[in-house]
Amino acid sequence: MVAHSSDDVRGTLYIVATPIGNLDDFSKRAEQTLREVDYIGAEDTRHSRRLLNHFAIDAKLFSLHDHNEKDKAEYVASLLMDGKNVALVSDAGTPLISDPGYHLVAHLRAQGLTVTPVPGACALVAALCASGLPTDQFFFAGFVPAKSKARCDLYESWKSQAGTVVFYESTHRVYDSIADVAKVYGDSARLVLAREVTKTFETFLSGTAEEILAKFDADANQLKGEFVVMLSYVPEADDESELEAKRVLSILLEDLPVKQAAAMAAKLTGEKKNHLYKLALGMQDA
Ligand code: SAM
């Protein structure tokens, strides 16, 4: 499975996805690749050792995490130059997706070295495909900020984002995070929370932010585990003109002071100047 080309002595970096809960999601190709490579870079070597032991894979592990990734990139490049094959795994799911590996892959590609994926589980894709929310377009936002103000500002910015917004949230922050969605969106967003996907207590909760909070209040177990949050915003008719007004204002505010931007936006959109003035002030504060 792991290729050894006779005319190219350089090795390959394999980006290997591991399960996000259910070990049966570990693909045959992933197993074989990890069995055959010379080295495996792992976010947490003790964690990955348990997975490898389960599949009786005896591998040389080295750590590659957020804090040493830039240094390790040179080391991995030298291994590949030496003709060694290397795999990268993270604690769960697909490496580089809210996990380390970006600097490594960018560095290797810049040197013309070969990087190839061994795809498999990824929490965002697993959650989205079973959510019932639109999948034709989506935006993945990774983890959202821990502080409420920064989080609300980010949520506000998604109002002009096309498609479903998907983000990761931790068990400690999920309640406050959804409370902020309620503040910013009221009833105009439909949410689906995918919890413990592929695990024993897999649950999909859906509704408005307030409805989800009520489900949390009724059953604290719903706050346990790992979460993917998906948000689909459907502006009401009124919201739509508000959205357009904001879009126009944001362009005008790049070059004009608030008062002039509001006056110009009123001419362009037909909205009231006073209302636009307040809106522009709010946008400037944000
Ligand atoms: N690289 C991983 C992937 O491919 O999905 C994601 C790693 S990120 C550090 C971990 C976050 O992914 C968790 O905090 C949670 O938001 C989400 N996650 C991972 N596994 C999950 C699962 N089984 N169910 C729901 N969310 C999960």
Side-chain angles (χ1 to χ4, degrees), residues 19-39:
I20 55 169
N22 189 327
L23 289 185
D24 287 343
D25 293 338
F26 196 39
S27 77
K28 274 190 188 160
R29 186 167 162 241
E31 182 180 343
Q32 199 169 342
T33 302
L34 294 188
R35 206 178 288 291
E36 291 180 9
V37 290
D38 300 292
Y39 296 94

Side-chain angles (χ1 to χ4, degrees), residues 20 92-94 97-99 122-123 143 168-169 196-197 226-228:
I20 55 169
T94 301
I97 305 301
S98 293
D99 267 338
C122 179
F143 284 98
Y168 287 161
E169 194 49 281
E196 297 288 87
V197 177
E226 299 192 279
F227 291 86
V228 180

Side-chain angles (χ1 to χ4, degrees), residues 209-231:
E210 287 293 354
E211 285 166 351
I212 304 270
L213 292 173
K215 288 176 188 176
F216 284 156
D217 290 337
D219 177 7
N221 283 326
Q222 295 301 327
L223 283 160
K224 291 183 184 158
E226 299 192 279
F227 291 86
V228 180
V229 182
M230 291 156 284
L231 183 155

Side-chain angles (χ1 to χ4, degrees), residues 226-245:
E226 299 192 279
F227 291 86
V228 180
V229 182
M230 291 156 284
L231 183 155
S232 174
Y233 173 53
V234 186
E236 317 251 321
D238 278 356
D239 284 352
E240 218 151 334
S241 50
E242 189 89 343
L243 215 58
E244 177 60 6

Side-chain angles (χ1 to χ4, degrees), residues 17-22 43 90-100 120-127 140 142-143 167-171 193-199 202-203 225-229:
T18 57
I20 55 169
N22 189 327
E43 190 183 2
S90 58
D91 287 354
T94 301
L96 279 85
I97 305 301
S98 293
D99 267 338
C122 179
L124 84 97
V125 175
F140 176 56
F143 284 98
F167 62 99
Y168 287 161
E169 194 49 281
S170 81
T171 185
L193 266 66
R195 182 173 74 91
E196 297 288 87
V197 177
T198 77
K199 302 186 201 176
E202 177 181 291
T203 314
E226 299 192 279
F227 291 86
V228 180
V229 182

Side-chain angles (χ1 to χ4, degrees), residues 42-122:
E43 190 183 2
D44 176 341
T45 51
R46 278 190 304 178
H47 182 97
S48 295
R49 175 68 65 200
R50 285 197 289 276
L51 177 80
L52 297 177
N53 285 345
H54 180 87
F55 290 94
I57 298 171
D58 183 23
K60 288 192 182 128
L61 282 171
F62 65 90
S63 75
L64 190 143
H65 45 68
D66 281 336
H67 305 293
N68 72 0
E69 190 184 333
K70 285 190 178 154
D71 296 337
K72 284 289 160 89
E74 201 43 57
Y75 167 66
V76 175
S78 68
L79 290 175
L80 300 193
M81 298 282 201
D82 259 7
K84 305 289 185 210
N85 288 307
V86 180
L88 177 69
V89 295
S90 58
D91 287 354
T94 301
L96 279 85
I97 305 301
S98 293
D99 267 338
Y102 162 70
H103 293 290
L104 171 65
V105 173
H107 182 71
L108 299 183
R109 284 232 168 257
Q111 300 197 28
L113 290 160
T114 306
V115 181
T116 191
V118 181
C122 179

